[in-house]
Amino acid sequence: MSICSEIVVVGGGQAGFQLVSSLRAHGFDGAVRLVCDEPSLPYQRPPLSKAFLSGEVFADELSFATAEFYRDESIDVIEDRAVAIDPARRTIRLASNAELGYDRLVLATGARNRRMSGFEDVAGVLSLRTLADAMELRERLLSEGNIVIVGGGFLGLEVASVCADLGVSVCVVEAMPRLMARGVSETVSQVFQQRLEERGVRFMLGVAGLGLRLDGRRVVGVEADGQLLKTNLVLTCIGIIANTELAAEAGLSTGNGILTDGYLRTTDPSIYAIGDCAAHPNPYCGATVRLESVQNAVDQANCVASGVVGEAQTYRSLPWFWTEQAGMKLQIAGISSTADPTIVRGDLQAGAFSIFHFHDQVLVSVESVNRPTDHMLARKILRSERKISPEALSEMLGPVAPSA
Ligand SMILES: Cc1cc2nc3c(=O)[nH]c(=O)nc-3n(C[C@H](O)[C@H](O)[C@H](O)COP(=O)(O)OP(=O)(O)OC[C@H]3O[C@@H](n4cnc5c(N)ncnc54)[C@H](O)[C@@H]3O)c2cc1C
């Protein structure tokens, strides 16, 4: 039994698309409106730094669904930007000045890239979030033939890997002493660094002093710890900022994201927030966190859709994530703590292994490189919420080599 008849979703990204399609899949028969401020129908972002950038996938293959899908499902896609929410009247105002009423409003406004302060409008300094960004980046990579990437996280390294495959000379500059330091263990950092170096990617790690060399308002180089890396093309991959302004201006609580409760409701119970923009209490993290992944966007959308149509349920999905670089697929189940003692299974040198992380003798996360079966098993175990000790895991998996 549905609790409302009119739902407006702001943001046509992974979370917004999943929400509107899940509402229909769950049998919701009220009005569904999806407000999108990008010029194309909702599309997948992960290929932008992978198969789209490398030229294996084209723009028209990125859409989640065709225009017919939205028409057949009676999902009203409104190409506009939401500029204000009036929670008392339950309306939103669009940039076109149109007003939409709602029973339930879902904010799926995602995030935008953090830019290097003071260099936002410099020619040749790009960032990657949208299809338009990816198109520009690909064109410039092919014409320039070299690039400096600022930031050695998942995104920067995926782009570096594609650059190497395309024969584009690439140097990655990173402030931390190792790659993907926020998200993976030291072992995984080392394996990926080695594989990327073998493909020709150069790294400067632990860089404390970073600046751009300009000619007028055009970049001509990156200054890293006193060294000048000459280039006309710089990609900054230094994190994202949640799009919380719309919520904050409407009086909803925000912090590092739009704050939600366990049901993904904001401080106004008729307004939800999901995906990259939402900070939520996560049982696997034991804290309020904001996660940036496809899994999080999809599962939160499904949670809200089933709550709106049927009985409200708390969000309890296991976080998982993947990245593809240097011919390797890394899949992470759970949230890793790098200090945890580990068990390693497989072959590091061959680039096919899994690292099992424990906290207080309980399995909390698993990193798998080119071991999809381990990843699926890890998700099953972690989702079951059974407390698995190193001994129990060893028994389950058969003989394992202890980590060095
Ligand atoms: C290049 C790239 C590669 C990635 N690779 C991976 C990967 O390998 N694995 C993985 O798990 N995750 C990956 N991610 C992350 C993943 O894509 C995101 O976590 C996911 O897209 C989040 O979905 P979302 O709907 O919350 O936000 P978004 O996808 O950012 O969508 C939000 C949408 O809302 C729109 N919007 C914002 N404000 C308004 C407004 N006021 N009115 C109307 N519309 C508005 C935005 O323009 C945008 O279209 C990648 C991301 C990028 C950019």
Side-chain angles (χ1 to χ4, degrees):
M1 177 58 186
S2 172
I3 51 173
C4 65
S5 63
E6 219 171 13
I7 297 183
V8 173
V9 181
V10 178
Q14 185 91 45
F17 168 77
Q18 186 64 47
L19 184 80
V20 296
S21 43
S22 293
L23 281 170
R24 289 301 187 223
H26 283 97
F28 179 74
D29 61 2
V32 176
R33 301 197 172 90
L34 180 63
V35 182
C36 307
D37 69 351
E38 289 192 65
S40 37
L41 284 173
Y43 60 90
Q44 309 163 59
R45 293 190 200 284
L48 298 181
S49 50
K50 308 177 185 74
F52 176 79
L53 197 61
S54 65
E56 292 153 78
V57 161
F58 297 103
D60 57 2
E61 298 172 78
L62 298 179
S63 299
F64 292 114
T66 60
E68 288 71 43
F69 167 82
Y70 298 97
R71 192 197 54 215
D72 294 349
E73 296 290 334
S74 299
I75 295 166
D76 192 6
V77 179
I78 301 169
E79 201 181 299
D80 208 331
R81 182 167 179 76
V83 292
I85 305 168
D86 184 339
R89 291 175 56 233
R90 290 197 179 174
T91 58
I92 67 165
R93 189 161 49 77
L94 306 181
S96 62
N97 243 343
E99 217 177 56
L100 301 175
Y102 63 81
D103 295 323
R104 292 290 180 273
L105 175 66
V106 182
L107 300 176
T109 49
R112 59 185 179 277
N113 286 326
R114 192 182 296 282
R115 307 298 296 262
M116 274 177 83
S117 171
F119 299 106
E120 291 84 353
D121 61 345
V122 171
V125 180
L126 308 185
S127 68
L128 176 57
R129 180 78 191 172
T130 65
L131 177 57
D133 294 338
M135 285 170 147
E136 184 182 4
L137 176 61
R138 183 170 158 77
E139 199 182 302
R140 291 295 304 268
L141 281 177
L142 298 177
S143 62
E144 294 294 338
N146 73 80
I147 186 169
V148 174
I149 298 174
V150 177
F154 295 115
L155 185 62
L157 296 185
E158 287 180 358
V159 173
S161 176
V162 171
C163 288
D165 291 347
L166 292 174
V168 172
S169 164
V170 53
C171 179
V172 177
V173 178
E174 165 60 48
M176 301 290 281
R178 65 181 181 88
L179 300 174
M180 302 179 283
R182 276 197 314 139
V184 305
S185 63
E186 240 173 285
T187 306
V188 168
S189 291
Q190 283 163 7
V191 169
F192 276 81
Q193 181 175 344
Q194 189 189 333
R195 285 298 177 101
L196 287 161
E197 280 172 343
E198 282 165 11
R199 291 181 170 224
V201 179
R202 286 168 298 124
F203 292 103
M204 284 185 73
L205 303 180
V207 171
L210 184 76
L212 298 184
R213 177 79 61 91
L214 304 186
D215 176 6
R217 293 309 286 167
R218 192 172 63 84
V219 71
V220 291
V222 172
E223 289 161 352
D225 283 347
Q227 194 179 327
L228 177 65
L229 307 167
K230 286 188 183 168
T231 184
N232 295 323
L233 186 57
V234 174
L235 181 73
T236 55
C237 300
I238 52 175
I240 61 176
I241 300 168
N243 291 325
T244 58
E245 291 78 3
L246 187 65
E249 282 159 20
L252 306 177
S253 292
T254 59
N256 174 27
I258 304 168
L259 296 183
T260 69
D261 64 10
Y263 296 93
L264 303 171
R265 291 175 307 204
T266 67
T267 38
D268 177 332
S270 55
I271 305 178
Y272 297 82
I274 57 173
D276 279 14
C277 70
H280 66 281
N282 189 296
Y284 292 92
C285 305
T288 292
V289 292
R290 194 177 62 73
L291 299 177
E292 301 161 5
S293 71
V294 167
Q295 169 278 321
N296 181 66
V298 169
D299 288 347
Q300 291 196 336
N302 285 331
C303 175
V304 169
S306 47
V308 165
V309 173
E311 201 160 310
Q313 45 186 279
T314 52
Y315 180 69
R316 305 195 56 78
S317 295
L318 173 76
W320 57 264
F321 182 79
W322 87 96
T323 178
E324 290 160 30
Q325 304 161 29
M328 295 187 290
K329 182 165 184 168
L330 166 66
Q331 294 168 291
I332 304 172
I335 300 282
S336 186
S337 157
T338 50
D340 298 330
T342 60
I343 287 177
V344 180
R345 192 185 194 219
D347 186 343
L348 295 183
Q349 286 313 313
F353 61 91
S354 289
I355 305 182
F356 298 81
H357 297 262
F358 297 84
H359 184 65
D360 287 343
Q361 295 291 302
V362 175
L363 183 69
V364 289
S365 72
V366 182
E367 297 168 301
S368 300
V369 176
N370 290 346
R371 301 267 295 204
T373 316
D374 285 357
H375 175 68
M376 294 316 288
L377 176 69
R379 273 162 58 174
K380 199 170 155 196
I381 295 174
L382 291 169
R383 247 196 314 251
S384 76
E385 293 178 26
R386 279 166 55 205
K387 295 197 183 316
I388 302 291
S389 65
E391 295 72 29
L393 183 78
S394 299
E395 234 169 76
M396 208 180 279
L397 299 175
V400 289
S403 60

